[in-house]
Amino acid sequence: MSTVEQQVTPGFETSRRGFMAGSGAALVVGFTLPASGRALAAKAAPAAFTPNAWLRITADNRVTVVCGSSEMGQGVLTAIPQLMAEELDADWPQVSVEQAPVSQAFANPAFGMQATGGSTTVRGHWDVMRNAGATARAMLVAAAAEQWKVSPADCRTEAGHVIHGSKKLSYGQLAEAAAKQKAPEKVALKDPKDFKILGQRKKRLDTAGKTNGQAKYGIDVNLPGMLVAVMSRSPTPGAKAVKVDDSAAKAVKGVKQVITLPTGVAVLATGYWAAKKGRDALKIEWDAGALKGLSSAGITKQLAAAADSATAVAKQEGAVEVRSGKVVESTYEAPYLAHACMEPMNCTAWVKPDGVEVWAGTQSQGPVQGILSQVAAVDPGKVKVNTMMLGGGFGRRFAPDFVIDATLLSKISGSPVKLVYSREDDMAAGFYRPASVAKFAGAVGADGRATLLESGVGSPSIMAASGFMKIPEDGVDTFAMEGIADHPYDIPNQRLAYGRSEPGPVVWFWRSVGHSQNIFFMESFIDELAAAAGKDPFEFRRAMLDKQPRYKKVLEVAAEKAGWGKPLPAGVTRGIAVAQSFGSYVAEVAEVSLGADGTPRVHRVVAAVDCGMTVNPAIIERQIEGAIVYGLSAALYGKISYKDGRVEQGNFHEYPVLRHNEMPKVEVHIVASSEKPGGIGEPGTPPIAPAVANAIFAATGKRLRSLPFDTEQLKKA
């Protein structure tokens, strides 16, 4: 049995210095194709026109857009080409896309590194990709004008051609000549009214590959001589293996090695089933550590105490000491949540004498390259990251744990290794959405308007857990307070504070991050204030949004399209919520009924979204629909709980997700906007839980203040 205990510390803690040294701290978004990229492009198509890192035009008039972002269902392999193709005036049927290699040239402008998350891809690349397309178009026009001996100003472009009077040349015909043109320092971008590709319902470029099997996910990788690894992981947070009896595991046919890492004990075999059987045969003595008695009840108590004593003030206005009018006090709670990606975590790694190559569905190619250079003790340039399709990401695949362990196992074993998490492994692996407790106090005056809002939030810190962020000097973890500290309502007296508490489980980014629980807290409590004031929940919110026109607009559109105030079938009630996250504004109205057993049935959700200027309305609609499914699953069922230090959930029978017959009808109404784009992968998730909870209150008068919903208190007598 081989052992490595201190070779690497799991997580991002080991990555920051290596990443910065390996890829440079400067943000690179210019139009210069790096030497390695030029060589790659030249090898692929010697006569190609490659004016920048993201574009290649070949003599057959094919336009290939290179995308540095990861595709996990959110549509970036279509959206990024649309940005480029619009300003290029490309012929859309001639446009294709390919995944970029890991390179700082493909850094996400929002992050300064090649990574995908935070609903940043489109808004981060909005100007960059359009400028790149416009620059290429100008060079093609210059090449045609030079050939025709005319002024470039007298030429126009359309559907992959440069046109002057009756003369017409395709981009492919001009590719070689355009490559010799000097790139202009500044180009004019189109007026949005002239868009022909942006804002259009273009079919996704990755659909065919996903349906015919050509698209490859990390789980699909298969290499000659590859071993498959399954790990027995720490049963409690921080537990260590102190004694391993691997004799029975090694007796399993196909098992080749057993290796102990800081994160657990791995069995390497010729296939997954042999590795799993070997893992199950291990006899391990664990030192459970300080968290062996961890329980969900203890976690709640700890977080509630932190909420009570919250001193890191995120927002303070007016005076909160004096409470007058009708006063409301409430406590809300949300549990840890797993990401539950349909494709469990996996990575194939091959540590060779001259470098490292990995195949993974990762959201963080840039950081991974830096991390693995340290793990394998090689120069970052010798780490090749092949980005595979992601079978769901939701933030989980931004974490590096599965990539680190696969690389360590390959380095120790001397073979290419595919590390695969079972569903149960993944569910108990940590990297959860933080559990949180929020305590609120509020007041409404005689005029029915809110006069006071006070809140203390107790929660672990994602910023601290990330390893690449620092909590600001004021002590406020931005993620723990987003959705509360930046709420839109005009309330004169406020104090909103954060109390950090670390019960033990590793926390991480989860779809919509802090908004996912905080909007449930905030929008439910606003509903409580509306009830105390005797006001309609829609009108109560609307009256406090005069200074927030984008919030107000989506709220009004959602209410109008849902028929707010109009009669509903017997037993059905409506609830409403509104939120801003990642630069986009979403309001949702849920129509809900209750079964005799207290189970909510969501019949219809009407969503209004203002995400600024749009790239592809069809993608926006699908992302809002998917975000509602994700958020509704969490609201009805999602919970990671602890008993005696161990996670109680193992698979989907204990961690259910919404089934087809539970899916509500979803209507998405996109509000026209001239603002720059916001994100769209996450903003649909936060409003759904409070909208449903508020509808349940309208039906029963019972306020649900914890997630997932406790249907026991809703049972009819």
Side-chain angles (χ1 to χ4, degrees):
M1 179 176 66
S2 301
T3 303
V4 53
E5 291 294 349
Q6 299 300 326
Q7 199 155 355
V8 63
T9 302
F12 267 118
E13 296 292 347
T14 63
S15 70
R16 192 174 182 216
R17 182 170 56 186
F19 167 66
M20 289 301 183
S23 57
L27 174 60
V28 180
V29 295
F31 299 141
T32 301
L33 189 68
S36 59
R38 286 196 295 270
L40 182 67
K43 182 179 180 181
F49 172 45
T50 56
N52 52 63
W54 309 285
L55 177 64
R56 183 170 69 248
I57 301 175
T58 49
D60 59 359
N61 210 32
R62 292 294 305 177
V63 173
T64 301
V65 178
V66 184
C67 179
S69 300
S70 303
E71 176 61 66
M72 46 192 161
Q74 82 279 38
V76 297
L77 290 183
T78 303
I80 290 296
Q82 281 189 254
L83 288 171
M84 175 73 78
E86 179 62 72
E87 295 293 345
L88 182 63
D89 265 344
D91 183 16
W92 184 251
Q94 295 292 311
V95 176
S96 59
V97 64
E98 67 181 36
Q99 191 72 54
V102 61
S103 168
Q104 187 68 2
F106 298 104
N108 182 336
F111 293 151
M113 59 184 179
Q114 190 175 352
T116 308
S119 298
T120 59
T121 296
V122 166
R123 55 191 176 132
H125 289 87
W126 177 256
D127 290 326
V128 173
M129 298 305 293
R130 291 177 63 207
N131 272 290
T135 298
R137 184 183 77 241
M139 295 169 73
L140 289 159
V141 168
E146 187 176 90
Q147 182 172 326
W148 292 329
K149 309 298 183 188
V150 299
S151 170
D154 294 332
C155 301
R156 64 184 179 89
T157 55
E158 183 179 344
H161 291 78
V162 180
I163 302 167
H164 179 269
S166 61
K167 299 174 184 177
K168 187 177 185 179
L169 288 171
S170 72
Y171 288 173
Q173 291 173 302
L174 292 165
E176 186 175 353
K180 299 174 184 177
Q181 298 294 318
K182 183 179 179 181
E185 293 184 4
K186 189 175 182 180
V187 289
L189 300 180
K190 288 184 180 180
D191 189 307
K193 68 179 176 58
D194 298 323
F195 286 167
K196 298 177 181 177
I197 294 175
L198 289 178
Q200 302 301 308
R201 296 174 178 273
K202 298 298 183 183
K203 292 182 179 179
R204 286 180 58 150
L205 299 180
D206 57 348
T207 300
K210 288 178 176 178
T211 53
N212 64 23
Q214 290 182 340
K216 299 301 180 185
Y217 293 78
I219 204 74
D220 296 323
V221 174
N222 191 23
L223 302 177
M226 182 184 79
L227 297 177
V228 176
V230 177
M231 291 184 69
S232 180
R233 299 184 177 276
S234 307
T236 60
K240 299 293 182 183
V242 294
K243 186 177 180 180
V244 179
D245 179 353
D246 59 10
S247 55
K250 288 182 174 179
V252 174
K253 185 178 179 180
V255 170
K256 298 299 182 183
Q257 293 186 58
V258 177
I259 298 173
T260 298
L261 298 180
T263 51
V265 183
V267 175
L268 282 63
T270 52
Y272 176 80
W273 189 243
K276 182 184 182 301
K277 288 179 68 178
R279 189 275 304 271
D280 293 346
L282 289 171
K283 296 178 181 178
I284 305 173
E285 181 181 327
W286 296 94
D287 178 357
L291 297 177
K292 62 182 179 181
L294 187 69
S295 68
S296 289
I299 291 168
T300 295
K301 184 177 180 180
Q302 186 174 335
L303 296 178
D308 275 331
S309 60
T311 56
V313 178
K315 183 177 184 179
Q316 185 156 1
E317 296 177 354
V320 296
E321 294 79 11
V322 179
R323 299 180 180 183
S324 59
K326 292 183 179 179
V327 177
V328 180
E329 295 183 349
S330 298
T331 298
Y332 285 82
E333 181 181 3
Y336 292 105
L337 287 180
H339 299 75
C341 305
M342 192 54 64
E343 178 194 15
M345 298 301 104
N346 66 85
C347 174
T348 301
W350 194 353
V351 179
K352 310 172 188 178
D354 59 344
V356 181
E357 187 167 6
V358 297
W359 293 259
T362 175
Q363 295 177 237
S364 55
Q365 301 92 328
V368 159
Q369 186 182 55
I371 294 167
L372 296 189
S373 72
Q374 296 180 62
V375 172
V378 298
D379 184 89
K382 294 186 179 296
V383 177
K384 182 179 180 182
V385 180
N386 299 286
T387 304
M388 312 303 290
M389 287 281 192
L390 284 64
F394 315 120
R396 176 65 179 92
R397 284 186 158 91
F398 207 105
D401 56 309
F402 57 104
V403 181
I404 292 172
D405 283 353
T407 303
L408 281 171
L409 293 172
S410 176
K411 180 179 180 179
I412 295 165
S413 69
S415 302
V417 173
K418 178 196 283 187
L419 173 63
V420 180
Y421 288 32
S422 70
R423 176 64 59 194
E424 290 78 7
D425 296 336
D426 198 12
M427 200 69 72
F431 296 93
Y432 300 129
R433 197 276 304 274
S436 184
V437 170
K439 298 197 172 185
F440 286 92
V444 292
D447 60 355
R449 293 179 67 93
T451 59
L452 169 74
L453 179 66
E454 189 171 8
S455 179
V457 177
S459 178
S461 170
I462 291 178
M463 297 182 78
S466 74
F468 60 88
M469 295 181 180
K470 290 184 177 180
I471 300 176
E473 290 185 4
D474 62 10
V476 177
D477 182 301
T478 305
F479 300 112
M481 293 301 292
E482 61 188 1
I484 293 178
D486 57 350
H487 75 82
Y489 299 111
D490 188 4
I491 301 174
N493 304 297
Q494 303 183 49
R495 184 184 185 275
L496 311 173
Y498 170 60
R500 182 182 172 188
S501 178
E502 301 290 347
V506 177
V507 295
W508 199 245
F509 309 93
W510 190 90
R511 190 174 190 172
S512 75
V513 201
H515 300 94
S516 67
Q517 73 270 14
N518 288 343
I519 294 300
F520 167 67
F521 300 159
M522 187 70 195
E523 284 296 287
S524 296
F525 189 69
I526 290 296
D527 233 58
E528 291 202 58
L529 294 180
K535 297 289 186 180
D536 174 86
F538 161 64
E539 295 293 352
F540 184 75
R541 287 173 170 81
R542 186 172 179 269
M544 294 190 291
L545 292 175
D546 287 341
K547 299 176 183 176
Q548 299 285 349
R550 297 180 75 182
Y551 274 101
K552 189 174 183 178
K553 181 65 174 178
V554 293
L555 185 76
E556 291 172 339
V557 171
E560 176 193 353
K561 298 298 184 182
W564 188 269
K566 294 182 180 178
L568 283 166
V572 179
T573 51
R574 293 188 183 97
I576 194 167
V578 64
Q580 181 278 134
S581 59
F582 309 97
S584 293
Y585 300 75
V586 180
E588 292 172 6
V589 175
E591 296 178 359
V592 183
S593 66
L594 292 177
D597 62 352
T599 302
R601 170 76 188 193
V602 184
H603 300 274
R604 178 183 179 224
V605 178
V606 178
V609 54
D610 172 3
C611 55
M613 287 185 280
T614 64
V615 173
N616 190 318
I619 290 177
I620 293 170
E621 291 167 356
R622 290 165 190 159
Q623 284 302 293
I624 294 294
E625 291 165 355
I628 286 171
V629 173
Y630 203 72
L632 189 52
S633 294
L636 296 177
Y637 307 118
K639 177 171 67 173
I640 290 293
S641 57
Y642 281 86
K643 182 179 180 181
D644 297 328
R646 293 175 181 257
V647 173
E648 294 186 287
Q649 291 72 29
N651 213 313
F652 285 124
H653 67 293
E654 295 165 317
Y655 193 91
V657 296
L658 207 67
R659 297 187 180 260
H660 284 285
N661 65 331
E662 298 173 297
M663 181 65 193
K665 178 183 178 181
V666 177
E667 298 176 17
V668 180
H669 300 275
I670 301 172
V671 176
S673 176
S674 59
E675 300 287 342
K676 283 197 172 185
I680 200 58
E682 299 169 271
T685 294
I688 186 62
V692 173
N694 293 340
I696 291 171
F697 174 78
T700 66
K702 296 178 180 179
R703 185 67 64 181
L704 301 178
R705 298 189 180 94
S706 63
L707 295 175
F709 298 146
D710 180 5
T711 57
E712 285 297 316
Q713 61 179 297
L714 300 176
K715 285 184 177 180
K716 296 179 180 178

